[in-house]
Amino acid sequence: MAGDDALPEIRPLSGSVRLRRALQELPRDGAEQRAIEAGEIDAVIDYRGANVIMFPMARRALRAAASRASAARRKAALETPLANAVLAALPRDEYLHLLPALEFVTLEFGTVLHEAGAPIPYVYFPLDCVVCLLTTTDPERMVETGMVGYEGIVGVSLGLGVDVASVRAVVQTAGSAMRMSAARFGRDFRRSPCLQHELYRCASAKLAQARQTAACIASHHFEQRLACWLLMASDRSRSEDLFLTHEYLATILNVRRVSVTMACTSLRSRELITYVRGTIRILDRAGLEAVSCACYRSVGFPRAVA
Amino acid sequence: MSRRTVKPKPQAAEFTTVVVLRLYVAGGAPNSMQAIANLEAICAEYLKDGHKLEVVDVLENPRRAMAEGVLVTPSLSKLSPQPVAQVIGNLSDKRQVMLALGLKPHGG
């Protein structure tokens, strides 16, 4: 009876050797053996290998649960009303056609979606993340020239027949997005007039935004620009809290850190914003709009360009 | 040698002492989930607020399970009051769990 006969039936799956070995280490005729025979055990602790070995049944159940959870998350992300304005604007059947090619992804702060001068691998439809577009001026120096949130698409140039990025796209606010491979996007884009229309609208908005940014940098005070920038970032992340450091702002707006701190202090003294390290909170949106330059009203708000 | 003392038998009706329990589970595996549900039902019925339950996921924390001498999951340990007791399995045998916890069933 001792040896293999005393062990419960285990199908020869990978890992079953280790499971068998761990089971042999268990005390004979203990409560453990009785529970195993009754099928009430999920896993054995393998003291020799210092890990946990699952029973095949339990392992399968965990895998099935994990895949159900990811399917549910995906489904929840796909339910209408859609978080991304471009996808939401497509007719239902067009959207359902795109759906199998869309992949739900979670993006961390600082993730580079595409590099300047490199091919664009994916087109991103942000759901609740914000992506900033950085243009290289000198080597090692990048300035923000665009910001994309739920209102737009990252990788617009693919639709304009250019598959190499002119800017670097970096995630500024972590969140989720739907993405589609560049090749698949190209095929669907040629086929769908609605998608073309939406993309041209986005491209035109981006162009207007870039023009306005250039004009703004040339003609407005930094404090006005900062107020405008904070409002734009807040609109796109749909939150009054922005998780940014002064250093980050100084880098992407290409000013000295001291200038950022001075402008922030000035805005805080008027109770328009408040900040602690790493977080800026907008307290008075209307007040901040009054301080910001006219650029915010002309191209800043996502729906203003719709 | 030490003197033997007869401990007063704890009364099932009064829970002045808090029962401290620790349940070791393997993530969301079926028997583990069942053990949590069974234990919660027993605690809600018999222990009310007089208990502290900690659920330890051995998949996240295998070292801890090893340090505490756990062999298989799910397994339940009663740490306090003394004596310590252990129940192994999905805790579907309510009588056995209550015996280990030092509880008497209603009207029994």
Side-chain angles (χ1 to χ4, degrees), chain A residues 23 25-27 31-32 34-36 39-52 54-55 57-59 61-62 65, chain B residues 26-33 58-59 61-63 65-74 86 88-93 96:
Chain A
L23 289 175
E25 309 257 305
L26 292 179
E32 289 86 7
R34 282 197 297 280
I36 288 168
E40 294 189 4
I41 297 300
D42 290 325
V44 183
I45 316 289
D46 174 17
Y47 277 70
R48 252 197 272 173
N51 61 4
V52 179
M54 303 291 289
F55 275 57
M57 272 275 283
R59 195 188 305 139
L62 275 189
Chain B
N31 283 312
S32 297
M33 298 302 280
V58 300
L59 296 182
N61 238 335
R63 298 255 165 217
M66 288 177 70
E68 290 163 16
V70 178
L71 296 173
V72 295
T73 66
Q86 202 175 30
I88 286 162
N90 62 15
L91 311 182
S92 51
D93 186 349
Q96 195 197 349

CSV table of all heavy atoms in Angstrom, one decimal, chain A residues 23 25-27 31-32 34-36 39-52 54-55 57-59 61-62 65, chain B residues 26-33 58-59 61-63 65-74 86 88-93 96:
chain,number,residue,atom,x,y,z
A,23,LEU,N,3.7,15.1,-2.4
A,23,LEU,CA,2.7,14.3,-1.7
A,23,LEU,C,3.3,13.2,-0.9
A,23,LEU,O,2.8,12.9,0.2
A,23,LEU,CB,1.7,13.8,-2.7
A,23,LEU,CG,0.8,14.8,-3.4
A,23,LEU,CD1,-0.1,14.1,-4.4
A,23,LEU,CD2,-0.1,15.4,-2.3
A,25,GLU,N,5.9,13.4,0.7
A,25,GLU,CA,6.5,14.0,1.9
A,25,GLU,C,5.5,14.2,3.1
A,25,GLU,O,5.9,14.4,4.2
A,25,GLU,CB,7.2,15.4,1.6
A,25,GLU,CG,8.1,15.4,0.5
A,25,GLU,CD,9.5,15.4,0.8
A,25,GLU,OE1,9.9,16.3,1.6
A,25,GLU,OE2,10.3,14.5,0.4
A,26,LEU,N,4.2,14.1,2.7
A,26,LEU,CA,3.2,14.4,3.7
A,26,LEU,C,3.1,13.2,4.7
A,26,LEU,O,3.4,12.1,4.3
A,26,LEU,CB,1.8,14.5,3.0
A,26,LEU,CG,1.6,15.8,2.1
A,26,LEU,CD1,0.3,15.8,1.5
A,26,LEU,CD2,1.8,17.0,2.9
A,27,PRO,N,2.7,13.5,5.9
A,27,PRO,CA,2.6,12.4,6.9
A,27,PRO,C,1.6,11.4,6.4
A,27,PRO,O,0.5,11.7,5.9
A,27,PRO,CB,2.2,13.1,8.2
A,27,PRO,CG,1.7,14.5,7.8
A,27,PRO,CD,2.4,14.8,6.5
A,31,ALA,N,-4.5,13.9,8.6
A,31,ALA,CA,-5.7,14.6,8.1
A,31,ALA,C,-5.5,15.1,6.7
A,31,ALA,O,-6.4,15.2,5.9
A,31,ALA,CB,-6.0,15.8,9.0
A,32,GLU,N,-4.2,15.3,6.3
A,32,GLU,CA,-3.9,15.8,4.9
A,32,GLU,C,-4.3,14.7,3.9
A,32,GLU,O,-5.0,15.0,2.9
A,32,GLU,CB,-2.4,16.1,4.7
A,32,GLU,CG,-1.9,17.3,5.4
A,32,GLU,CD,-1.6,17.1,6.9
A,32,GLU,OE1,-1.6,15.9,7.3
A,32,GLU,OE2,-1.3,18.0,7.6
A,34,ARG,N,-6.5,12.3,4.2
A,34,ARG,CA,-7.9,12.1,4.2
A,34,ARG,C,-8.6,13.2,3.3
A,34,ARG,O,-9.4,13.0,2.5
A,34,ARG,CB,-8.5,12.1,5.6
A,34,ARG,CG,-8.4,10.8,6.3
A,34,ARG,CD,-9.3,10.7,7.5
A,34,ARG,NE,-9.0,11.8,8.5
A,34,ARG,CZ,-8.1,11.7,9.4
A,34,ARG,NH1,-7.3,10.6,9.4
A,34,ARG,NH2,-7.8,12.7,10.3
A,35,ALA,N,-8.1,14.5,3.5
A,35,ALA,CA,-8.6,15.6,2.8
A,35,ALA,C,-8.3,15.4,1.3
A,35,ALA,O,-9.1,15.8,0.4
A,35,ALA,CB,-8.1,16.9,3.3
A,36,ILE,N,-7.1,14.9,1.0
A,36,ILE,CA,-6.7,14.7,-0.4
A,36,ILE,C,-7.7,13.7,-1.1
A,36,ILE,O,-8.2,13.9,-2.2
A,36,ILE,CB,-5.3,14.3,-0.6
A,36,ILE,CG1,-4.3,15.5,-0.2
A,36,ILE,CG2,-4.9,13.8,-2.0
A,36,ILE,CD1,-2.9,15.1,0.0
A,39,GLY,N,-10.8,15.0,-2.1
A,39,GLY,CA,-10.7,16.0,-3.1
A,39,GLY,C,-10.9,17.4,-2.6
A,39,GLY,O,-11.4,18.3,-3.3
A,40,GLU,N,-10.5,17.6,-1.4
A,40,GLU,CA,-10.7,19.0,-0.8
A,40,GLU,C,-9.5,19.8,-0.8
A,40,GLU,O,-9.4,20.9,-0.2
A,40,GLU,CB,-11.2,18.8,0.7
A,40,GLU,CG,-12.6,18.2,0.8
A,40,GLU,CD,-13.1,18.2,2.2
A,40,GLU,OE1,-12.5,18.9,3.0
A,40,GLU,OE2,-14.2,17.7,2.4
A,41,ILE,N,-8.4,19.4,-1.5
A,41,ILE,CA,-7.2,20.1,-1.4
A,41,ILE,C,-6.9,20.8,-2.8
A,41,ILE,O,-7.1,20.2,-3.8
A,41,ILE,CB,-6.0,19.1,-1.0
A,41,ILE,CG1,-6.3,18.6,0.4
A,41,ILE,CG2,-4.7,19.8,-1.1
A,41,ILE,CD1,-6.3,19.6,1.5
A,42,ASP,N,-6.4,22.0,-2.7
A,42,ASP,CA,-6.0,22.7,-4.0
A,42,ASP,C,-4.5,22.7,-4.2
A,42,ASP,O,-4.1,22.7,-5.4
A,42,ASP,CB,-6.4,24.2,-3.8
A,42,ASP,CG,-7.9,24.4,-3.8
A,42,ASP,OD1,-8.6,23.6,-4.5
A,42,ASP,OD2,-8.4,25.3,-3.1
A,43,ALA,N,-3.7,22.7,-3.2
A,43,ALA,CA,-2.3,22.9,-3.4
A,43,ALA,C,-1.5,22.2,-2.3
A,43,ALA,O,-2.0,22.1,-1.2
A,43,ALA,CB,-2.0,24.3,-3.6
A,44,VAL,N,-0.3,21.9,-2.6
A,44,VAL,CA,0.6,21.3,-1.6
A,44,VAL,C,1.8,22.3,-1.5
A,44,VAL,O,2.3,22.8,-2.6
A,44,VAL,CB,1.1,19.9,-2.0
A,44,VAL,CG1,2.0,19.3,-1.0
A,44,VAL,CG2,-0.1,19.0,-2.3
A,45,ILE,N,2.3,22.5,-0.3
A,45,ILE,CA,3.5,23.3,-0.2
A,45,ILE,C,4.7,22.4,-0.4
A,45,ILE,O,4.8,21.4,0.3
A,45,ILE,CB,3.6,24.0,1.2
A,45,ILE,CG1,2.2,24.6,1.6
A,45,ILE,CG2,4.7,25.1,1.2
A,45,ILE,CD1,1.8,25.8,0.8
A,46,ASP,N,5.5,22.8,-1.3
A,46,ASP,CA,6.7,22.0,-1.6
A,46,ASP,C,7.9,22.6,-0.8
A,46,ASP,O,8.4,23.6,-1.2
A,46,ASP,CB,7.0,22.0,-3.1
A,46,ASP,CG,8.3,21.3,-3.5
A,46,ASP,OD1,8.8,20.6,-2.7
A,46,ASP,OD2,8.8,21.6,-4.6
A,47,TYR,N,8.2,21.9,0.3
A,47,TYR,CA,9.3,22.5,1.1
A,47,TYR,C,10.6,22.4,0.5
A,47,TYR,O,11.5,23.2,0.7
A,47,TYR,CB,9.2,21.8,2.5
A,47,TYR,CG,8.2,22.4,3.4
A,47,TYR,CD1,6.8,22.2,3.1
A,47,TYR,CD2,8.5,23.2,4.5
A,47,TYR,CE1,5.9,22.8,3.9
A,47,TYR,CE2,7.6,23.8,5.3
A,47,TYR,CZ,6.2,23.5,5.0
A,47,TYR,OH,5.3,24.1,5.8
A,48,ARG,N,10.8,21.4,-0.3
A,48,ARG,CA,12.2,21.2,-0.9
A,48,ARG,C,12.4,22.3,-2.0
A,48,ARG,O,13.5,22.9,-2.1
A,48,ARG,CB,12.3,19.8,-1.6
A,48,ARG,CG,13.2,18.9,-0.7
A,48,ARG,CD,13.7,17.8,-1.6
A,48,ARG,NE,12.7,16.7,-1.4
A,48,ARG,CZ,12.8,15.5,-2.1
A,48,ARG,NH1,13.7,15.4,-3.0
A,48,ARG,NH2,11.9,14.6,-2.0
A,49,GLY,N,11.4,22.5,-2.8
A,49,GLY,CA,11.5,23.5,-3.9
A,49,GLY,C,11.1,24.9,-3.4
A,49,GLY,O,11.2,25.8,-4.2
A,50,ALA,N,10.6,25.0,-2.2
A,50,ALA,CA,10.2,26.3,-1.6
A,50,ALA,C,9.1,27.0,-2.5
A,50,ALA,O,9.2,28.2,-2.8
A,50,ALA,CB,11.4,27.2,-1.4
A,51,ASN,N,8.1,26.2,-3.0
A,51,ASN,CA,7.0,26.9,-3.7
A,51,ASN,C,5.8,26.1,-3.5
A,51,ASN,O,5.7,25.2,-2.7
A,51,ASN,CB,7.4,27.1,-5.2
A,51,ASN,CG,7.6,25.7,-5.9
A,51,ASN,OD1,7.5,24.7,-5.3
A,51,ASN,ND2,8.0,25.8,-7.1
A,52,VAL,N,4.7,26.5,-4.2
A,52,VAL,CA,3.4,25.9,-4.1
A,52,VAL,C,3.1,25.1,-5.3
A,52,VAL,O,3.2,25.6,-6.4
A,52,VAL,CB,2.4,27.0,-3.8
A,52,VAL,CG1,1.0,26.4,-3.7
A,52,VAL,CG2,2.7,27.9,-2.6
A,54,MET,N,0.2,23.3,-7.4
A,54,MET,CA,-1.3,23.2,-7.5
A,54,MET,C,-1.7,21.8,-7.9
A,54,MET,O,-1.0,21.2,-8.7
A,54,MET,CB,-1.8,24.2,-8.5
A,54,MET,CG,-1.5,25.6,-8.2
A,54,MET,SD,-2.3,26.3,-6.8
A,54,MET,CE,-4.0,26.4,-7.4
A,55,PHE,N,-2.8,21.4,-7.5
A,55,PHE,CA,-3.4,20.2,-8.1
A,55,PHE,C,-3.9,20.5,-9.5
A,55,PHE,O,-4.4,21.7,-9.7
A,55,PHE,CB,-4.6,19.6,-7.2
A,55,PHE,CG,-4.1,18.8,-6.1
A,55,PHE,CD1,-3.2,19.2,-5.2
A,55,PHE,CD2,-4.6,17.5,-6.0
A,55,PHE,CE1,-2.8,18.4,-4.1
A,55,PHE,CE2,-4.2,16.7,-4.9
A,55,PHE,CZ,-3.3,17.1,-4.0
A,57,MET,N,-6.6,20.0,-11.1
A,57,MET,CA,-8.0,20.6,-11.2
A,57,MET,C,-8.0,22.1,-10.8
A,57,MET,O,-8.6,22.9,-11.4
A,57,MET,CB,-8.9,19.8,-10.2
A,57,MET,CG,-9.5,18.6,-10.7
A,57,MET,SD,-11.0,19.0,-11.5
A,57,MET,CE,-12.1,19.3,-10.1
A,58,ALA,N,-7.3,22.3,-9.7
A,58,ALA,CA,-7.3,23.7,-9.1
A,58,ALA,C,-6.5,24.6,-10.1
A,58,ALA,O,-7.0,25.7,-10.3
A,58,ALA,CB,-6.6,23.7,-7.8
A,59,ARG,N,-5.5,24.1,-10.7
A,59,ARG,CA,-4.7,24.9,-11.7
A,59,ARG,C,-5.6,25.3,-12.9
A,59,ARG,O,-5.6,26.4,-13.3
A,59,ARG,CB,-3.5,24.2,-12.1
A,59,ARG,CG,-2.5,25.1,-12.8
A,59,ARG,CD,-1.3,24.3,-13.5
A,59,ARG,NE,-0.7,23.4,-12.5
A,59,ARG,CZ,-0.3,22.2,-12.8
A,59,ARG,NH1,-0.5,21.7,-14.0
A,59,ARG,NH2,0.3,21.5,-11.9
A,61,ALA,N,-8.8,25.4,-12.9
A,61,ALA,CA,-9.9,26.4,-12.4
A,61,ALA,C,-9.3,27.8,-12.3
A,61,ALA,O,-10.0,28.8,-12.7
A,61,ALA,CB,-10.4,25.9,-11.1
A,62,LEU,N,-8.1,27.9,-11.8
A,62,LEU,CA,-7.5,29.3,-11.7
A,62,LEU,C,-7.3,29.9,-13.0
A,62,LEU,O,-7.5,31.1,-13.2
A,62,LEU,CB,-6.1,29.2,-11.0
A,62,LEU,CG,-6.1,29.2,-9.5
A,62,LEU,CD1,-4.7,29.3,-8.9
A,62,LEU,CD2,-7.0,30.3,-8.9
A,65,ALA,N,-10.5,31.0,-14.4
A,65,ALA,CA,-11.0,32.2,-13.7
A,65,ALA,C,-10.3,33.4,-14.2
A,65,ALA,O,-10.9,34.5,-14.5
A,65,ALA,CB,-10.9,32.1,-12.2
B,26,ALA,N,-5.1,28.9,-1.6
B,26,ALA,CA,-4.3,29.0,-2.9
B,26,ALA,C,-5.1,29.8,-3.9
B,26,ALA,O,-5.9,29.3,-4.6
B,26,ALA,CB,-4.0,27.6,-3.4
B,27,GLY,N,-5.0,31.1,-3.8
B,27,GLY,CA,-5.6,32.1,-4.7
B,27,GLY,C,-7.1,31.8,-4.8
B,27,GLY,O,-7.8,31.6,-3.8
B,28,GLY,N,-7.7,31.8,-6.0
B,28,GLY,CA,-9.1,31.6,-6.1
B,28,GLY,C,-9.5,30.2,-6.5
B,28,GLY,O,-10.5,29.9,-7.2
B,29,ALA,N,-8.6,29.2,-6.1
B,29,ALA,CA,-8.9,27.8,-6.4
B,29,ALA,C,-10.2,27.3,-5.8
B,29,ALA,O,-10.6,27.9,-4.7
B,29,ALA,CB,-7.8,26.9,-6.0
B,30,PRO,N,-10.9,26.4,-6.4
B,30,PRO,CA,-12.3,26.1,-5.9
B,30,PRO,C,-12.4,25.7,-4.5
B,30,PRO,O,-13.3,26.3,-3.8
B,30,PRO,CB,-12.7,24.9,-6.8
B,30,PRO,CG,-11.7,24.8,-7.9
B,30,PRO,CD,-10.5,25.6,-7.6
B,31,ASN,N,-11.6,24.8,-4.0
B,31,ASN,CA,-11.7,24.4,-2.6
B,31,ASN,C,-11.4,25.6,-1.7
B,31,ASN,O,-11.9,25.7,-0.6
B,31,ASN,CB,-10.7,23.2,-2.3
B,31,ASN,CG,-11.3,21.9,-2.8
B,31,ASN,OD1,-12.5,21.6,-2.6
B,31,ASN,ND2,-10.5,21.2,-3.5
B,32,SER,N,-10.4,26.4,-2.1
B,32,SER,CA,-10.1,27.6,-1.2
B,32,SER,C,-11.2,28.5,-1.1
B,32,SER,O,-11.5,29.0,0.0
B,32,SER,CB,-8.9,28.3,-1.8
B,32,SER,OG,-7.7,27.4,-1.9
B,33,MET,N,-11.9,28.8,-2.2
B,33,MET,CA,-13.1,29.7,-2.2
B,33,MET,C,-14.2,29.1,-1.3
B,33,MET,O,-14.8,29.8,-0.6
B,33,MET,CB,-13.6,29.9,-3.6
B,33,MET,CG,-12.6,30.5,-4.6
B,33,MET,SD,-12.0,32.1,-4.1
B,33,MET,CE,-13.4,33.1,-4.6
B,58,VAL,N,-1.3,31.5,-0.2
B,58,VAL,CA,0.1,30.9,-0.2
B,58,VAL,C,0.7,31.1,-1.6
B,58,VAL,O,1.9,31.1,-1.7
B,58,VAL,CB,0.1,29.4,0.1
B,58,VAL,CG1,-0.4,29.2,1.5
B,58,VAL,CG2,-0.7,28.6,-0.9
B,59,LEU,N,-0.1,31.4,-2.6
B,59,LEU,CA,0.5,31.7,-3.9
B,59,LEU,C,1.3,33.0,-3.9
B,59,LEU,O,2.3,33.1,-4.5
B,59,LEU,CB,-0.5,31.8,-5.0
B,59,LEU,CG,-1.3,30.5,-5.2
B,59,LEU,CD1,-2.3,30.7,-6.4
B,59,LEU,CD2,-0.4,29.3,-5.6
B,61,ASN,N,2.5,34.2,-1.0
B,61,ASN,CA,3.3,34.2,0.2
B,61,ASN,C,3.8,32.8,0.6
B,61,ASN,O,3.5,32.3,1.7
B,61,ASN,CB,2.4,34.8,1.4
B,61,ASN,CG,3.1,35.9,2.0
B,61,ASN,OD1,4.3,36.1,1.9
B,61,ASN,ND2,2.3,36.8,2.6
B,62,PRO,N,4.4,32.1,-0.3
B,62,PRO,CA,4.8,30.7,0.0
B,62,PRO,C,5.7,30.6,1.2
B,62,PRO,O,5.6,29.6,2.0
B,62,PRO,CB,5.4,30.2,-1.3
B,62,PRO,CG,5.8,31.4,-2.1
B,62,PRO,CD,4.9,32.5,-1.7
B,63,ARG,N,6.6,31.6,1.3
B,63,ARG,CA,7.6,31.6,2.4
B,63,ARG,C,6.9,31.6,3.8
B,63,ARG,O,7.4,30.9,4.7
B,63,ARG,CB,8.5,32.8,2.3
B,63,ARG,CG,9.3,32.8,1.0
B,63,ARG,CD,10.8,32.4,1.3
B,63,ARG,NE,11.4,32.1,0.0
B,63,ARG,CZ,12.3,31.1,-0.2
B,63,ARG,NH1,12.6,30.4,0.8
B,63,ARG,NH2,12.8,30.9,-1.4
B,65,ALA,N,3.9,30.5,4.4
B,65,ALA,CA,3.2,29.3,4.7
B,65,ALA,C,4.3,28.2,5.2
B,65,ALA,O,4.0,27.5,6.1
B,65,ALA,CB,2.6,28.8,3.4
B,66,MET,N,5.5,28.3,4.6
B,66,MET,CA,6.5,27.3,5.0
B,66,MET,C,7.0,27.7,6.5
B,66,MET,O,7.2,26.7,7.3
B,66,MET,CB,7.7,27.4,4.1
B,66,MET,CG,7.4,26.8,2.7
B,66,MET,SD,8.7,27.0,1.6
B,66,MET,CE,9.9,25.9,2.3
B,67,ALA,N,7.1,28.9,6.7
B,67,ALA,CA,7.6,29.3,8.1
B,67,ALA,C,6.6,28.9,9.1
B,67,ALA,O,6.9,28.6,10.3
B,67,ALA,CB,7.8,30.8,8.1
B,68,GLU,N,5.3,28.8,8.7
B,68,GLU,CA,4.3,28.5,9.7
B,68,GLU,C,3.9,27.0,9.6
B,68,GLU,O,2.9,26.6,10.2
B,68,GLU,CB,3.1,29.4,9.6
B,68,GLU,CG,3.5,30.8,10.0
B,68,GLU,CD,2.6,31.9,9.6
B,68,GLU,OE1,1.5,31.6,9.1
B,68,GLU,OE2,3.0,33.1,9.7
B,69,GLY,N,4.6,26.2,8.9
B,69,GLY,CA,4.4,24.8,8.9
B,69,GLY,C,3.2,24.3,8.2
B,69,GLY,O,2.7,23.2,8.5
B,70,VAL,N,2.7,25.0,7.2
B,70,VAL,CA,1.5,24.6,6.5
B,70,VAL,C,1.9,23.5,5.4
B,70,VAL,O,2.9,23.7,4.7
B,70,VAL,CB,0.8,25.8,5.8
B,70,VAL,CG1,-0.4,25.3,5.0
B,70,VAL,CG2,0.4,26.8,6.8
B,71,LEU,N,1.2,22.5,5.3
B,71,LEU,CA,1.5,21.4,4.3
B,71,LEU,C,0.7,21.5,3.1
B,71,LEU,O,1.2,21.3,2.0
B,71,LEU,CB,1.4,20.1,5.0
B,71,LEU,CG,2.3,19.8,6.2
B,71,LEU,CD1,1.9,18.4,6.8
B,71,LEU,CD2,3.8,19.7,5.7
B,72,VAL,N,-0.6,21.7,3.3
B,72,VAL,CA,-1.5,21.7,2.1
B,72,VAL,C,-2.5,22.9,2.3
B,72,VAL,O,-2.7,23.4,3.4
B,72,VAL,CB,-2.3,20.4,2.0
B,72,VAL,CG1,-1.4,19.3,1.6
B,72,VAL,CG2,-3.1,20.1,3.2
B,73,THR,N,-3.2,23.3,1.2
B,73,THR,CA,-4.2,24.3,1.3
B,73,THR,C,-5.5,23.8,0.7
B,73,THR,O,-5.4,23.0,-0.2
B,73,THR,CB,-3.9,25.6,0.6
B,73,THR,OG1,-3.8,25.4,-0.8
B,73,THR,CG2,-2.6,26.2,1.1
B,74,PRO,N,-6.7,24.2,1.1
B,74,PRO,CA,-6.9,25.1,2.2
B,74,PRO,C,-6.7,24.4,3.6
B,74,PRO,O,-7.0,23.2,3.7
B,74,PRO,CB,-8.4,25.5,2.0
B,74,PRO,CG,-9.0,24.3,1.3
B,74,PRO,CD,-7.9,23.8,0.4
B,86,GLN,N,-6.1,22.6,14.1
B,86,GLN,CA,-6.0,22.7,12.7
B,86,GLN,C,-7.1,21.9,12.0
B,86,GLN,O,-7.4,20.8,12.5
B,86,GLN,CB,-4.7,22.3,12.2
B,86,GLN,CG,-4.3,22.8,10.9
B,86,GLN,CD,-2.8,22.5,10.5
B,86,GLN,OE1,-2.3,21.4,10.9
B,86,GLN,NE2,-2.2,23.3,9.8
B,88,ILE,N,-8.1,20.7,8.1
B,88,ILE,CA,-7.6,20.7,6.7
B,88,ILE,C,-8.8,20.3,5.8
B,88,ILE,O,-9.6,19.4,6.1
B,88,ILE,CB,-6.5,19.6,6.6
B,88,ILE,CG1,-5.3,20.3,7.2
B,88,ILE,CG2,-6.2,19.3,5.1
B,88,ILE,CD1,-4.2,19.3,7.6
B,89,GLY,N,-8.8,21.0,4.6
B,89,GLY,CA,-9.9,20.7,3.6
B,89,GLY,C,-10.7,21.9,3.4
B,89,GLY,O,-10.4,23.0,3.9
B,90,ASN,N,-11.8,21.7,2.7
B,90,ASN,CA,-12.7,22.9,2.3
B,90,ASN,C,-13.7,23.3,3.4
B,90,ASN,O,-14.6,24.1,3.1
B,90,ASN,CB,-13.3,22.7,1.0
B,90,ASN,CG,-14.3,21.5,0.9
B,90,ASN,OD1,-14.6,21.0,2.0
B,90,ASN,ND2,-14.6,21.0,-0.2
B,91,LEU,N,-13.6,22.7,4.6
B,91,LEU,CA,-14.4,23.1,5.7
B,91,LEU,C,-15.9,22.8,5.5
B,91,LEU,O,-16.7,23.5,6.1
B,91,LEU,CB,-14.1,24.6,6.1
B,91,LEU,CG,-12.7,25.0,6.2
B,91,LEU,CD1,-12.6,26.5,6.7
B,91,LEU,CD2,-11.9,24.2,7.2
B,92,SER,N,-16.2,21.9,4.7
B,92,SER,CA,-17.6,21.6,4.4
B,92,SER,C,-18.2,20.8,5.6
B,92,SER,O,-19.4,20.7,5.8
B,92,SER,CB,-17.8,20.9,3.1
B,92,SER,OG,-16.9,19.8,3.0
B,93,ASP,N,-17.3,20.1,6.4
B,93,ASP,CA,-17.7,19.4,7.5
B,93,ASP,C,-17.8,20.3,8.7
B,93,ASP,O,-16.9,20.6,9.4
B,93,ASP,CB,-16.8,18.2,7.8
B,93,ASP,CG,-17.3,17.3,9.0
B,93,ASP,OD1,-18.3,17.7,9.6
B,93,ASP,OD2,-16.7,16.3,9.2
B,96,GLN,N,-16.9,19.2,12.3
B,96,GLN,CA,-15.4,19.1,12.6
B,96,GLN,C,-14.8,20.5,12.8
B,96,GLN,O,-14.0,20.6,13.7
B,96,GLN,CB,-14.8,18.5,11.3
B,96,GLN,CG,-13.4,17.9,11.6
B,96,GLN,CD,-12.7,17.7,10.3
B,96,GLN,OE1,-13.3,17.7,9.2
B,96,GLN,NE2,-11.4,17.5,10.4
